[in-house]
C-alpha cells in the first residue's frame, strides 16, 4: 500500500523571478510474493505473483520522489526485482539485477529496495529479474510531473494502464530450468494477454476480455507496457487514431498514427480521442515476428481488450476489430513507426546529445551454439553473445566484488569490437565463430561520452530483432538501418537534433543501431537484450562506471541488509576477509 505524506510546493519570489521549489515525497510499498491459482485457456495453474495480483500492483509517484519497496519472498526460489528504466543515480544497490548488482532474495527472506525517480516522467515498469520469473511478477510504474507542473499536452480526462503479457498454461519456470540445463530452445507461448486476459479470440476466454469504459468527446491517456517475454508487439484500437506523446519515461514530439509498435520491455504513452460513434471497439495486439520465416509455429494470438462507450446503443453486436493492425511480419510498418520517434526537445524538456565521444564500441549481437562431441553422438548447446562473448553469472554479484575489490569473479576485458569481421547479415547456417563463455565487463570513466553501434548477425541463419537495454542510463538513438553498418555512409543519416531518449531500443533484424550516452551514473550496470530467450543464453555484459572526483559523483555506500549468496560459502568467507 502506498503512503503519500503531504509535502508542499513552495512558490518563492526572487528579483522578480518566480522559482518553483518542489519537495519530493517518500512512498512505501510492501510486495509479498506467493503462489496463487489462475485459470486461463481452460486450464488452471499456480504461479508466483505479487500481493495476489496479476499483473502486480501499480506504483504511483511524481518526478523526484523516492519509493521504498519491501519485497517478501514467500515463493520456492530466489529472485530479484528490477525497476525498468529507472536511472537510480549512484544507487546500483537497488537496481535488482541478479548476480550483477545483488544476489537473489532467497525464499523466506525479504529485502527493501530504495527506488529514486530523478529524471523519469511518464510510464515505466517493474519486474522480477531472475530467469523467467518476470513472466508473472511485473507491474506498471506511473510517474507524474512534479507537483505544480503539468503535462506538455492538455490534461487528459482520464487514463488507463494496459500491460501486454505472455501466457503459458503450465509453470514455464520449471521448463526454463530444464532448458538452462540442456541448452535447448525455449517454448512457444500459448497466448498473449492484455491486463492478464487473452480476450475474445482464445479458448475459454469469450467475454473475459479486459474492458475500459469511456465517455464520448473526451481525450484519454493510455499507458502501454510491453511485458512480454520475448516479442515486439503491434497494438491498435479499432476506428481510433493514437497520438504518441511519450516513451520509456520521456516525452516525444506528438504524432498521430493508426498503430504503435513496442520493443520488448518498452513503455509508451499515447492519447486517444473518443470521437467515434458510441459502441464497442477492440484494443488489439499481435506479435511482430522477426525470427526465421521458415518457422511458422510462433504464437499468432490476437490479444484483445475492449474500449466501450458509456450510453445507449446495440451491445449485442461484436466489437469492431482494428483494420490497420499490421501483420506479424510487417517489417516496413515497424521501421516506419520507429522513424517517427523524436524527442520533444523543448525548453522545459531539453535534450543533451553527447558530441565529444571518447569511447566507441562496435558490438555484434548473435545467436550461437557450442557443439559437444560425445563418444557415441554429437549434441549442441544454444548460446547468444555480444562480441562473441556469452555471459556467465559469477558466484557472487559483480557489484559486491567490485565495491569490495574482490578478485576472481569477473575480468575487465570485454572487447570494443568483434574478434572477426565478415558479412554479418549473410545467410550463415553454421557458426564458425566459436563463442567464448565468460564474465567480462567494460570499464568507463565517470562522465565519459560513449557511442555504441550494435550490429545484428545472421549466424545459424537466426537473425532476430533484439531489444537492447542499458541499466542505470538512458541513451539517444541516433540511427538504425538494415545490412552491415557503414561508418561513412550511415553516420551521415544520424539524427543529432531531436533523437529519441530511450532505455530500450530495437536492433533491427539483419541490421544496426547506433546510440550515445554519457556515463554519469557511477556503479555496476547490466547491458543486454531484454528478450528472455536471448538473455538467459548470454546476450549480456556489464558496464562499470567509475566514481567521479567527489562524494556526490560516487557510488553510495551499500545498505546493511543486502541479500547474501547463500549457496556460495566461499564468497561469504571472502567478504568477511575484505570487511576486516
Amino acid at each position: 500500500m502506498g503512503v503519500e505524506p503531504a509535502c508542499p510546493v513552495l512558490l518563492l519570489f526572487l528579483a522578480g523571478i518566480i522559482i518553483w521549489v518542489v519537495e519530493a515525497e517518500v512512498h512505501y510499498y510492501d510486495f509479498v510474493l506467493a503462489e496463487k491459482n489462475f485459470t486461463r485457456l481452460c486450464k488452471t495453474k499456480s504461479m508466483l505473483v505479487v500481493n495476489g495480483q496479476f499483473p502486480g500492483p501499480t506504483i504511483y509517484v511524481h518526478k523526484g520522489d523516492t519509493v521504498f519497496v519491501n519485497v517478501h519472498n514467500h515463493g520456492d526460489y530466489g529472485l530479484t526485482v528490477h525497476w525498468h528504466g529507472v536511472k537510480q543515480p549512484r544507487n546500483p544497490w537497488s537496481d535488482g539485477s541478479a548476480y550483477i548488482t545483488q544476489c537473489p532474495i532467497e525464499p523466506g527472506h525479504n529485502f527493501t529496495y530504495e527506488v529514486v525517480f530523478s529524471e523519469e516522467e511518464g510510464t515505466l515498469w517493474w519486474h522480477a529479474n531472475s530467469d523467467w520469473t518476470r513472466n508473472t511478477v511485473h507491474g506498471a510504474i506511473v510517474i507524474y510531473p512534479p507537483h505544480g507542473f503539468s503535462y506538455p499536452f492538455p490534461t487528459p480526462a482520464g487514463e488507463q494502464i494496459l500491460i501486454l503479457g505472455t501466457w503459458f498454461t503450465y509453470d514455464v519456470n520449471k521448463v526454463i530450468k530444464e532448458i538452462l540445463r540442456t541448452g535447448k530452445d525455449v517454448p512457444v507461448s500459448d497466448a498473449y494477454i492484455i491486463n492478464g486476459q487473452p480476450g475474445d479470440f482464445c479458448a475459454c476466454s469469450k467475454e473475459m476480455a479486459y474492458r475500459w469504459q469511456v465517455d464520448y468527446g473526451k481525450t484519454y491517456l493510455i499507458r502501454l507496457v510491453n511485458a512480454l517475454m520475448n516479442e515486439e508487439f503491434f497494438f491498435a484500437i479499432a476506428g481510433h487514431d493514437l497520438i504518441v506523446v511519450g516513451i520509456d519515461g520521456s516525452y516525444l514530439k506528438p504524432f498521430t498514427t493508426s498503430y504503435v509498435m513496442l520493443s520488448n520491455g518498452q513503455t509508451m504513452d499515447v492519447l486517444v480521442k473518443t470521437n467515434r460513434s458510441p459502441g464497442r471497439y477492440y484494443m488489439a495486439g499481435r506479435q511482430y515476428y522477426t525470427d526465421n520465416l521458415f518457422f511458422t509455429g510462433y504464437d499468432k494470438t490476437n490479444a484483445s481488450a475492449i474500449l466501450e462507450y458509456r450510453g445507449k446503443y446495440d451491445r449485442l453486436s461484436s466489437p469492431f476489430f482494428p483494420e490497420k493492425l499490421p501483420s506479424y511480419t510487417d517489417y516496413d510498418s515497424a521501421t516506419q513507426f520507429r522513424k517517427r520517434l523524436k524527442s520533444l526537445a523543448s525548453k522545459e524538456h531539453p535534450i543533451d546529445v553527447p558530441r565529444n565521444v571518447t569511447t566507441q564500441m562496435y558490438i555484434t549481437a548473435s545467436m550461437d551454439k557450442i557443439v559437444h562431441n560425445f563418444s557415441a553422438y554429437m549434441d549442441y548447446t544454444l548460446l547468444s553473445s555480444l562480441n562473441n562473448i556469452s555471459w556467465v553469472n559469477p558466484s557472487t554479484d559483480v557489484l559486491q566484488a567490485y565495491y569490495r575489490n574482490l578478485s576472481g569473479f569477473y575480468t575487465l576485458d570485454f572487447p570494443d569490437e568483434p574478434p572477426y569481421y565478415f558479412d554479418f547479415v549473410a545467410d550463415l547456417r553454421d557458426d564458425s565463430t566459436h563463442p567464448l563463455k565468460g564474465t567480462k565487463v567494460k570499464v568507463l570513466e565517470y562522465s565519459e561520452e560513449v557511442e555504441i553501434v550494435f550490429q545484428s548477425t545472421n549466424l545459424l541463419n537466426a537473425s532476430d530483432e533484439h531489444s537492447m537495454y542499458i541499466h542505470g542510463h538512458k541513451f539517444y538513438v541516433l540511427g538504425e538501418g538494415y545490412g552491415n553498418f557503414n561508418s561513412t555512409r550511415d553516420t551521415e543519416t544520424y539524427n543529432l537534433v531531436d533523437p529519441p531518449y530511450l532505455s530500450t531500443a530495437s536492433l533491427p533484424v539483419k541490421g544496426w543501431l547506433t546510440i550515445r550516452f554519457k556515463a554519469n551514473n557511477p556503479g555496476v550496470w547490466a547491458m543486454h537484450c531484454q528478450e528472455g530467450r536471448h538473455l538467459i543464453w548470454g546476450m549480456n555484459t556489464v558496464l562499470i562506471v567509475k566514481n567521479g572526483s567527489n562524494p556526490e559523483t560516487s557510488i553510495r555506500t551499500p545498505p546493511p541488509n543486502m541479500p547474501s549468496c547463500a549457496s556460495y560459502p566461499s564468497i561469504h568467507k571472502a567478504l568477511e576477509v575484505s570487511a576486516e
Side-chain angles (χ1 to χ4, degrees):
M1 139 174 227
V3 178
E4 299 192 10
C7 293
V9 178
L10 304 180
L11 181 61
L12 304 180
F13 295 87
L14 180 63
I17 301 174
I18 299 177
I19 302 176
W20 289 93
V21 179
V22 180
E23 293 188 18
E25 296 181 348
V26 178
H27 310 258
Y28 300 89
Y29 289 82
D30 280 298
F31 279 11
V32 179
L33 290 100
E35 295 280 332
K36 184 178 178 180
N37 286 341
F38 290 83
T39 301
R40 304 285 189 274
L41 306 181
C42 318
K43 296 182 180 180
T44 299
K45 70 171 181 177
S46 178
M47 62 190 203
L48 192 68
V49 295
V50 172
N51 297 354
Q53 302 175 38
F54 179 70
T58 300
I59 291 176
Y60 292 93
V61 296
H62 288 265
K63 181 179 178 179
D65 288 356
T66 297
V67 174
F68 290 91
V69 184
N70 193 355
V71 176
H72 307 261
N73 185 6
H74 296 173
D76 296 328
Y77 41 83
L79 51 73
T80 65
V81 178
H82 171 60
W83 319 96
H84 194 105
V86 181
K87 184 175 181 178
Q88 292 281 46
R90 303 176 46 237
N91 188 30
W93 306 103
S94 285
D95 182 62
S97 301
Y99 294 104
I100 292 175
T101 61
Q102 70 169 97
C103 289
I105 306 168
E106 295 297 331
H109 291 74
N110 71 292
F111 176 66
T112 299
Y113 292 91
E114 180 183 358
V115 190
V116 181
F117 294 91
S118 55
E119 63 177 40
E120 304 83 16
E121 196 171 325
T123 306
L124 295 173
W125 66 304
W126 58 265
H127 58 81
N129 199 237
S130 307
D131 297 335
W132 276 29
T133 50
R134 70 177 169 94
N135 184 56
T136 60
V137 179
H138 61 252
I141 302 173
V142 172
I143 309 125
Y144 295 114
H147 288 288
F149 293 80
S150 61
Y151 298 113
F153 46 82
T155 301
E159 62 181 56
Q160 177 66 53
I161 298 169
L162 297 179
I163 300 180
L164 315 171
T166 312
W167 187 264
F168 297 87
T169 56
Y170 48 87
D171 187 345
V172 71
N173 287 301
K174 292 181 180 178
V175 176
I176 294 302
K177 183 178 180 180
E178 178 66 13
I179 284 169
L180 289 172
R181 186 185 68 82
T182 62
K184 297 302 183 270
D185 206 347
V186 302
V188 173
S189 55
D190 295 298
Y192 297 123
I193 51 180
I194 298 177
N195 284 1
Q197 292 290 345
D200 287 355
F201 304 102
C202 296
C204 300
S205 303
K206 187 68 176 175
E207 302 303 327
M208 295 300 292
Y210 182 82
R211 283 167 167 75
W212 175 34
Q213 289 193 328
V214 298
D215 293 315
Y216 177 82
K218 305 288 187 180
T219 299
Y220 292 89
L221 173 62
I222 301 177
R223 301 178 182 273
L224 289 166
V225 177
N226 183 348
L228 277 70
M229 283 309 305
N230 293 300
E231 296 81 14
E232 287 75 28
F233 214 63
F234 289 119
F235 174 86
I237 301 178
H240 294 73
D241 285 334
L242 304 174
I243 304 170
V244 182
V245 295
I247 188 170
D248 282 359
S250 296
Y251 292 117
L252 294 170
K253 284 183 170 67
F255 65 92
T256 301
T257 177
S258 59
Y259 68 93
V260 298
M261 195 284 287
L262 291 92
S263 299
N264 190 259
Q266 211 165 54
T267 57
M268 196 169 292
D269 296 325
V270 301
L271 300 175
V272 59
K273 295 182 178 180
T274 52
N275 53 9
R276 306 297 291 178
S277 298
R280 297 190 300 157
Y281 299 83
Y282 278 123
M283 303 181 288
R286 61 168 61 116
Q287 176 181 356
Y288 168 42
Y289 182 76
T290 62
D291 209 337
N292 195 320
L293 294 180
F294 291 108
F295 175 70
T296 59
Y298 57 88
D299 189 343
K300 296 182 177 63
T301 303
N302 288 319
S304 63
I306 299 174
L307 181 153
E308 55 185 21
Y309 285 70
R310 294 185 180 92
K312 295 182 179 180
Y313 53 86
D314 179 13
R315 297 177 183 272
L316 296 178
S317 60
S318 297
F320 298 99
F321 192 83
E323 296 180 352
K324 296 183 180 180
L325 182 66
S327 67
Y328 308 97
T329 58
D330 192 341
Y331 292 6
D332 184 62
S333 288
T335 301
Q336 293 306 315
F337 177 79
R338 289 198 299 261
K339 286 182 177 180
R340 301 184 71 183
L341 302 176
K342 300 180 187 300
S343 287
L344 184 58
S346 66
K347 180 179 179 181
E348 295 77 13
H349 301 279
I351 65 171
D352 184 20
V353 182
R355 301 298 182 107
N356 301 305
V357 174
T358 53
T359 291
Q360 290 185 306
M361 303 179 74
Y362 184 62
I363 299 178
T364 53
S366 305
M367 283 300 305
D368 300 293
K369 67 180 180 181
I370 293 180
V371 177
H372 308 282
N373 288 303
F374 299 103
S375 57
Y377 65 97
M378 293 179 61
D379 202 356
Y380 67 90
T381 299
L382 286 171
L383 295 174
S384 60
S385 66
L386 295 175
N387 273 355
N388 216 46
I389 306 298
S390 185
W391 176 265
V392 176
N393 281 332
S395 52
T396 192
D397 59 278
V398 177
L399 175 59
Q400 192 82 253
Y402 171 70
Y403 188 81
R404 297 179 180 272
N405 198 27
L406 303 176
S407 61
F409 299 107
Y410 62 88
T411 59
L412 304 175
D413 55 346
F414 181 82
D416 287 349
E417 58 182 336
Y420 316 102
Y421 281 84
F422 48 91
D423 185 354
F424 293 120
V425 299
D427 187 356
L428 303 165
R429 297 184 181 276
D430 294 319
D431 176 15
S432 58
T433 60
H434 305 297
L436 302 176
K437 300 179 72 173
T439 310
K440 298 178 182 293
V441 309
K442 171 68 177 179
V443 178
L444 299 170
E445 297 294 330
Y446 179 79
S447 206
E448 191 169 351
E449 296 189 351
V450 183
E451 179 178 291
I452 300 177
V453 176
F454 292 104
Q455 173 71 59
S456 179
T457 78
N458 198 29
L459 294 174
L460 306 182
N461 194 24
S463 183
D464 194 2
E465 192 136 311
H466 302 293
S467 294
M468 304 311 300
Y469 173 50
I470 302 180
H471 293 228
H473 294 80
K474 294 181 74 170
F475 49 79
Y476 293 98
V477 175
L478 303 191
E480 66 169 72
Y482 291 104
N484 294 305
F485 176 75
N486 183 301
S487 60
T488 301
R489 177 193 64 220
D490 294 328
T491 54
E492 295 178 356
T493 68
Y494 284 176
N495 177 7
L496 298 171
V497 177
D498 54 4
Y501 190 46
L502 310 179
S503 59
T504 309
S506 293
L507 168 60
V509 56
K510 298 183 183 178
W512 57 270
L513 169 76
T514 299
I515 68 170
R516 281 188 194 173
F517 66 96
K518 180 176 286 190
N520 57 4
N521 193 11
V524 171
W525 309 105
M527 180 173 71
H528 58 81
C529 178
Q530 177 66 18
E531 296 171 25
R533 67 196 294 258
H534 297 155
L535 181 56
I536 64 170
W537 287 331
M539 195 174 287
N540 184 24
T541 189
V542 164
L543 304 177
I544 294 180
V545 180
K546 296 166 69 173
N547 287 338
S549 58
N550 54 59
E552 288 71 31
T553 57
S554 300
I555 299 176
R556 292 168 49 180
T557 57
N561 60 337
M562 291 297 297
S564 62
C565 295
S567 302
Y568 304 95
S570 60
I571 303 305
H572 293 171
K573 192 170 184 180
L575 294 179
E576 291 169 4
V577 171
S578 69
E580 296 173 359

